[in-house]
Amino acid sequence: MNKISGTLLNRRTIRKYNSAPVDEKLINDLLCMACRASTTGNMQVYSIIITRDPVMKEELAPCHFNQRMVTEAPVLLTFCADFNRFSKWCRQRNADPGYDNFLSFFTAAIDALLVAQTFCIAAEDEGLGICYLGTTTYTAGKIIETLKLPSGVVPVTTLTAGWPAEKPDQVDRLPLEAVIHAETYKDYSAADIDKFYSDKEQRSDSEQFIRENSKETLAQVFTDVRYKKSDNIHFSKVLLEVLNKQGFMNQ
Ligand SMILES: Cc1cc2nc3c(=O)[nH]c(=O)nc-3n(C[C@H](O)[C@H](O)[C@H](O)COP(=O)(O)O)c2cc1C
């Protein structure tokens, strides 16, 4: 097994970091690698905000529902969909940018996520630990204010990074055959669903989750507690408003 396969197969999210500093040059080298990721039309329609200042971390913490990694991690990276820079370039070169629409947001969000994930692979291969923060999409408006993001820029994800101070057990994944389809999509029968989710459901941590949340099934922990319909609808509305405000819903 080469080094990168080992890194990918053995990785886990790291939420606790030790106090060793993460060198600025290392972060820049990793970002250099990350920016070699494929990007739509080679436009690089993303920006990355690096946060190291404890004051800024404190300001960002509520945007991430005060998850402790935000203030404890040495480095925070906010990956943004960014058509501001590219559109400015167009205007300065007598070209008329047509990127104030949802398709362009989606394009830029894909670009931003590809850079983020490539950064994760490079960072983990160096021994750093990372954690994604999904809270970015819930509170994008507040993050926009805090990080002073102009029109045409929307944060899509955040990473905390640092040297690991924990080595949690790896969490499960569905079997490969659950997510792979040969040539065309083969929809799942009830028996397939039973088969593919049975290992996950029988794990002791899943059973603990069910007990702790007083639910009957693991699926209910997702639908009734972790990712509730009412929250999803609320945060969808909030995100659509943010996209509108940032100029991505004009067409
Ligand atoms: C888009 C995205 C958002 C996430 N948001 C959070 C988060 O807000 N807090 C957290 O502790 N972990 C977060 N995670 C980490 C996941 O919980 C983690 O990847 C998943 O449980 C699988 O664990 P593993 O990465 O150790 O394999 C997020 C992961 C992704 C991809």
Side-chain angles (χ1 to χ4, degrees), residues 220-239:
Q220 288 176 353
V221 178
F222 285 86
T223 59
D224 301 359
V225 183
R226 297 189 66 193
Y227 301 97
K228 286 193 299 203
K229 180 170 181 165
S230 55
D231 290 347
N232 294 338
I233 290 173
H234 170 73
F235 287 121
S236 288
K237 282 188 185 146
V238 169
L239 184 58

Side-chain angles (χ1 to χ4, degrees), residues 11-13 15 67 69 131-135 157 171 173:
R11 67 159 300 280
R12 66 265 284 150
T13 290
R15 298 180 176 85
Q67 296 187 77
M69 303 80 86
C131 182
Y132 275 96
L133 301 178
T135 32
T157 200
V171 298
R173 289 291 191 269

Side-chain angles (χ1 to χ4, degrees), residues 136-152:
T136 305
T137 41
Y138 302 155
T139 63
K142 183 82 186 75
I143 295 174
I144 286 166
E145 268 175 42
T146 308
L147 300 180
K148 304 188 191 326
L149 306 180
S151 178

Side-chain angles (χ1 to χ4, degrees), residues 1-75:
M1 196 189 287
N2 63 28
K3 182 161 179 272
I4 196 75
S5 345
T7 299
L8 292 170
L9 287 170
N10 296 316
R11 67 159 300 280
R12 66 265 284 150
T13 290
I14 298 294
R15 298 180 176 85
K16 288 191 183 133
Y17 309 99
N18 68 36
S19 55
V22 179
D23 192 47
E24 206 174 314
K25 179 172 180 318
L26 175 60
I27 292 291
N28 279 340
D29 288 350
L30 296 172
L31 286 170
C32 236
M33 294 177 219
C35 288
R36 293 310 311 175
S38 297
T39 155
T40 312
N42 203 16
M43 291 188 288
Q44 290 192 268
V45 279
Y46 53 77
S47 279
I48 304 150
I49 317 292
I50 304 177
T51 305
R52 285 179 175 277
D53 181 351
V55 177
M56 288 302 291
K57 288 181 197 165
E58 287 292 344
E59 271 191 54
L60 283 169
C63 304
H64 298 293
F65 302 168
N66 295 310
Q67 296 187 77
R68 45 189 281 198
M69 303 80 86
V70 176
T71 46
E72 290 178 5
V75 189

Side-chain angles (χ1 to χ4, degrees), residues 81-99:
D82 182 355
F83 255 112
N84 174 50
R85 181 182 59 249
F86 191 80
S87 298
K88 283 195 159 159
W89 177 62
C90 292
R91 283 185 213 103
Q92 279 177 221
R93 298 294 180 269
N94 196 28
D96 185 18
Y99 309 117

